[in-house]
Amino acid sequence: MSTTTLHSSQIMQPQYRNRHNFMIFGGYLLKTTFELAFCCCAAVSHARPTFLSLDPSTFENPVPVGSVLYLKATVAYTEPVPPVAGETDGKATTTTRVQIRVDSKVRDIEHGSTRPTGQFNYTFSVERDLE
């Protein structure tokens, strides 16, 4: 299972903050979690993933400027997609749906405390047979 996991850590810089606050913009957090999920899916499948969906997500705790954000992307589920009748054209390409879960935590450098900031579930499609 360790081969299906990617980790990332980064310090939150002021250029990614909200306009009226000293917390990191949620769109930036979505971008970084998406990129890690994409890389995780590509590393496992050895193919270029196609984004299908993002499950509803909530931000549990704010991410302050200057804190460290830890991300962990894991393959949660794979499912082969059956070919649609009449669309095979003689080609035997197998498509698999891959769901990647990204867990995020934030660590306050000064206090050393770690809090969860959210869980993001991305679904991708790859032109490959995965089990």
Side-chain angles (χ1 to χ4, degrees), residues 41-119:
C41 186
V44 169
S45 66
H46 303 288
R48 177 171 287 281
T50 301
F51 173 73
L52 295 178
S53 68
L54 167 64
D55 290 355
S57 306
T58 59
F59 297 99
E60 296 172 22
N61 287 299
V63 178
V65 170
S67 62
V68 178
L69 181 69
Y70 296 99
L71 301 175
K72 177 183 172 186
T74 307
V75 175
Y77 183 73
T78 63
E79 175 184 45
V81 178
V84 178
E87 291 187 13
T88 58
D89 294 333
K91 298 177 185 174
T93 58
T94 304
T95 303
T96 305
R97 280 193 202 106
V98 182
Q99 189 166 50
I100 308 288
R101 184 184 75 224
V102 181
D103 296 308
S104 61
K105 298 186 296 187
V106 64
R107 177 177 296 253
D108 184 357
I109 294 176
E110 296 160 355
H111 299 104
S113 61
T114 303
R115 296 172 306 185
T117 59
Q119 187 178 74

Side-chain angles (χ1 to χ4, degrees), residues 1-6 35-51 73-80 94-100 123-131:
M1 195 66 175
S2 64
T3 59
T4 64
T5 302
L6 281 181
E35 289 173 350
L36 188 64
F38 183 92
C39 291
C40 181
C41 186
V44 169
S45 66
H46 303 288
R48 177 171 287 281
T50 301
F51 173 73
T74 307
V75 175
Y77 183 73
T78 63
E79 175 184 45
T94 304
T95 303
T96 305
R97 280 193 202 106
V98 182
Q99 189 166 50
I100 308 288
T123 304
F124 295 93
S125 174
V126 292
E127 296 291 326
R128 194 124 192 206
D129 184 21
L130 298 177
E131 294 181 19

